[in-house]
Amino acid sequence: MPQIELLTVANHAEAINGLLYLSGAGWTDLHRAIQPGAPIPVNHIGIGVAILIAWDETNQRHRIGVRIENADGQTLINVQGDMELGRPAGVLQGADLRGVMAMNGEVQFPSAGVYRVVASVGDDVRSVTFRVNDNTAPAAATSGMLPRG
């Protein structure tokens, strides 16, 4: 059965020519500036996934799901898709193959707290948790003058 070998959150993720490019990956805390009375900000996040597929599972479609959920298990984002890896010429018979995928999105987390990314392929399910932290941003100066210290 295919298995999720890597699952991580990042500032940005790209999958190009079978390689996974991650920028600012592996964080556990997302800090966002909150203005009193202003709308909740939107955050750009990336997700990187690597899936190991056994030789006898190649040339078949595998359903992959990735979702972001809050601590109560409510789904904020749900993405489904298929992955199919062919056997490249010259690969030794019986060798495992690795497929990668990257997702990026603009996410508006409804509140501070614990969230998790959950990825699944077949019976294999993996997750990674992270925290959204609200930091109160200072109110904008009304006079245009900066205080002297």
Side-chain angles (χ1 to χ4, degrees):
M1 292 297 286
Q3 67 182 55
I4 298 166
E5 189 176 50
L6 170 75
L7 174 63
T8 190
V9 289
N11 292 343
H12 188 78
E14 293 185 31
I16 302 171
N17 295 325
L19 299 175
L20 188 58
Y21 295 90
L22 301 168
S23 176
W27 46 262
T28 54
D29 285 274
L30 184 150
H31 294 273
R32 61 185 185 177
I34 299 291
Q35 292 277 355
I40 296 171
V42 174
N43 298 99
H44 178 86
I45 69 164
I47 299 170
V49 182
I51 297 174
L52 196 62
I53 298 180
W55 178 266
D56 60 346
E57 296 282 329
T58 58
N59 298 317
Q60 300 173 40
R61 287 188 185 198
H62 301 283
R63 189 74 172 163
I64 298 167
V66 177
R67 69 182 184 273
I68 299 176
E69 59 184 36
N70 67 12
D72 296 328
Q74 292 178 307
T75 299
L76 277 74
I77 296 171
N78 189 20
V79 178
Q80 299 283 323
D82 293 323
M83 176 181 278
E84 182 176 345
L85 292 181
R87 298 174 183 163
V91 173
L92 293 175
Q93 184 171 351
D96 292 339
L97 298 173
R98 184 171 293 108
V100 297
M101 41 189 309
M103 289 155 268
N104 294 285
E106 306 301 318
V107 182
Q108 190 174 36
F109 296 100
S111 62
V114 176
Y115 292 84
R116 69 182 193 151
V117 176
V118 181
S120 62
V121 58
D123 293 332
D124 192 29
V125 179
R126 303 290 166 109
S127 67
V128 61
T129 60
F130 62 95
R131 294 174 295 274
V132 173
N133 301 283
D134 288 348
N135 302 317
T136 304
T142 57
S143 67
M145 300 287 292
L146 296 176
R148 294 183 182 211

